[in-house]
Amino acid sequence: MATPMSRLLEEVSREHFPNPPATLEEIEAFERRMGWKLDPDLRAFYLHCNGASLLRRPDSPYEFFPLSKIVRARVAIRGKDDDSRGPASMYALCYVRDSNYVVVDVRRQVDRRYPLIDGDRETWPNLEYCTQIARSFSEFLEQVLRTRRSLYWLGE
């Protein structure tokens, strides 16, 4: 029986633009380098595809980074790995048009999943405005695939 995440990944392969999968060795090297472990959703995604473009190519509204391109959100958004540029526990997973990002917060988990945050360049790092956009990677991916909208604000 297929899990919800496996159905989402099948759709990514069938209708979008996935990269080849990451190896277990690449995932383990990433986790050692970063000092945190991928949650079950992210692990499944990266074992399925090491990054992906969703909806169209080129100019995809959602560019999920390969493991080698994941950096702290403060580096991706503000260009410097410094506490004044944002929390050290947040990492940019996906580029979303106009220099915005989908960010994972690795300092907390709910049901073993990391929440995803709006990495809006204009309001970063004021976390009052950089709100949670999904409880998990699978929830976010499902929203993108279900709505098939190229808008960042999926819920509106």
Side-chain angles (χ1 to χ4, degrees), residues 10-96:
E10 287 170 14
E11 184 176 341
V12 168
S13 287
R14 191 174 55 251
E15 300 180 24
H16 301 276
F17 307 94
N19 296 342
T23 64
L24 279 174
E25 293 78 19
E26 288 172 313
I27 289 174
E28 290 168 357
F30 169 83
E31 291 174 338
R32 279 192 305 276
R33 182 170 42 92
M34 293 298 185
W36 55 275
K37 294 199 176 288
L38 297 175
D39 69 18
D41 289 351
L42 290 169
R43 180 174 283 270
F45 178 79
Y46 282 100
L47 285 171
H48 185 82
C49 58
N50 192 3
S53 298
L54 300 185
L55 303 180
R56 66 180 166 272
R57 196 192 274 175
D59 195 33
S60 170
Y62 302 100
E63 289 285 343
F64 288 96
F65 299 132
L67 293 171
S68 63
K69 302 278 187 193
I70 294 174
V71 296
R72 284 193 169 114
R74 63 195 190 184
V75 173
I77 299 169
R78 293 289 179 227
K80 193 171 183 184
D81 198 4
D82 180 273
D83 287 344
S84 69
R85 308 290 173 108
S89 64
M90 295 190 180
Y91 291 80
L93 288 182
C94 177
Y95 177 77
V96 183

Side-chain angles (χ1 to χ4, degrees), residues 37 39 89-90 103-118 127 130-135:
K37 294 199 176 288
D39 69 18
S89 64
M90 295 190 180
V103 173
V104 62
D105 184 356
V106 301
R107 85 179 156 207
R108 60 189 173 102
Q109 289 186 331
V110 175
D111 296 327
R112 298 180 38 227
R113 272 51 180 189
Y114 299 119
L116 296 184
I117 308 297
D118 172 16
L127 298 182
C130 298
T131 59
Q132 181 174 309
I133 56 174
R135 292 180 303 248

